[in-house]
Amino acid sequence: MLSKKLQNALNDQINKEFFSEYFYLSMSAYLESIEMEGFANYFNVQAQEEHFHAMKMFNFVHDKGGRVILKSLPEPKADFKSVLNLFEDALEHERYITKSINDLMDVAIKENDHSVKSFIEWYVDEQVEEEASMTKIISKLKLINGEGLGLLTLDNELGSRTFTPEAE
Ligand code: FEO
């Protein structure tokens, strides 16, 4: 059984993961609109990852005998100043999600629920990867001044990213 407090916190996080999917799809759509198909693919794959994060938690709440309550999603930002600006927004969003996961872990610790603590560990580790991946791309974008042949090469490189769901 889940405590009411933990169930609410998990439901809030499910909402944030679905919003992340929606936000990255919006970024992907913007990138498609400026013919940056590789970057668009990167965020399309990112959106699939976020869907996976949300559903993993959705299924866990049910496994624990809890109740999932879906809430509405805010409208995501649709326009960006540049590819670099878009990635900076994405990294800022990931930092917000990292804080949210840490807060969720704090609730699990306070409620002394070991199974939730163990489950949330996966997200703690995942956030390190998510932030690192975006930080690396931002560094490259800064190196090439976010334009020219360098931008096209990076776009081409990110076009090959695919979604590979982890083995359970
Ligand atoms: Fe599910 Fe990108 O955090």
Side-chain angles (χ1 to χ4, degrees), residues 13 16-17 20 24 46 49-51 53-54 93-94 97-98 101 122-123 126-127 130-131 134:
Q13 190 62 40
K16 287 174 189 162
E17 300 294 342
S20 300
Y24 293 145
Q46 194 60 38
E49 287 206 356
E50 299 303 345
H51 184 80
H53 297 171
H93 179 69
E94 282 305 327
I97 294 294
T98 298
I101 292 288
W122 182 88
Y123 289 83
E126 180 73 3
Q127 281 311 116
E130 301 256 290
E131 286 193 30
M134 285 177 188

Side-chain angles (χ1 to χ4, degrees), residues 3 10 21 36 42-43 52-53 58 67-68 70 72 74 79 85 88 102 105-106 109 116 125 128 133 148 157 164 168:
S3 71
L10 285 161
E21 176 185 11
M36 293 275 107
Y42 175 91
F43 279 103
F52 178 78
H53 297 171
F58 181 101
R67 171 82 165 95
V68 171
L70 295 178
S72 58
D79 283 303
N85 168 256
E88 284 170 340
N102 289 343
M105 180 63 102
D106 288 345
I109 290 168
V116 177
D125 295 342
V128 176
S133 154
E157 191 185 303
T164 40
E168 286 290 332

Side-chain angles (χ1 to χ4, degrees), residues 109-147:
I109 290 168
K110 274 193 200 114
E111 298 289 296
N112 202 25
D113 190 321
H114 294 272
S115 65
V116 177
K117 281 194 279 179
S118 166
F119 176 72
I120 298 301
E121 284 290 351
W122 182 88
Y123 289 83
V124 172
D125 295 342
E126 180 73 3
Q127 281 311 116
V128 176
E129 268 181 47
E130 301 256 290
E131 286 193 30
S133 154
M134 285 177 188
T135 302
K136 209 181 278 177
I137 295 170
I138 288 172
S139 299
K140 286 184 181 173
L141 282 168
K142 284 183 176 163
L143 216 62
I144 59 173
N145 269 333
E147 58 185 27

Side-chain angles (χ1 to χ4, degrees), residues 7-60:
Q7 178 171 290
N8 288 343
L10 285 161
N11 272 312
D12 285 347
Q13 190 62 40
I14 288 171
N15 180 266
K16 287 174 189 162
E17 300 294 342
F18 278 127
F19 174 72
S20 300
E21 176 185 11
Y22 211 37
F23 192 25
Y24 293 145
L25 272 179
S26 180
M27 290 183 171
S28 184
Y30 168 79
L31 290 160
E32 283 283 354
S33 80
I34 58 165
E35 316 297 343
M36 293 275 107
E37 283 157 11
F39 289 112
N41 175 65
Y42 175 91
F43 279 103
N44 198 312
V45 170
Q46 194 60 38
Q48 291 176 60
E49 287 206 356
E50 299 303 345
H51 184 80
F52 178 78
H53 297 171
M55 289 310 297
K56 188 178 171 84
M57 204 168 279
F58 181 101
N59 292 331
F60 176 77

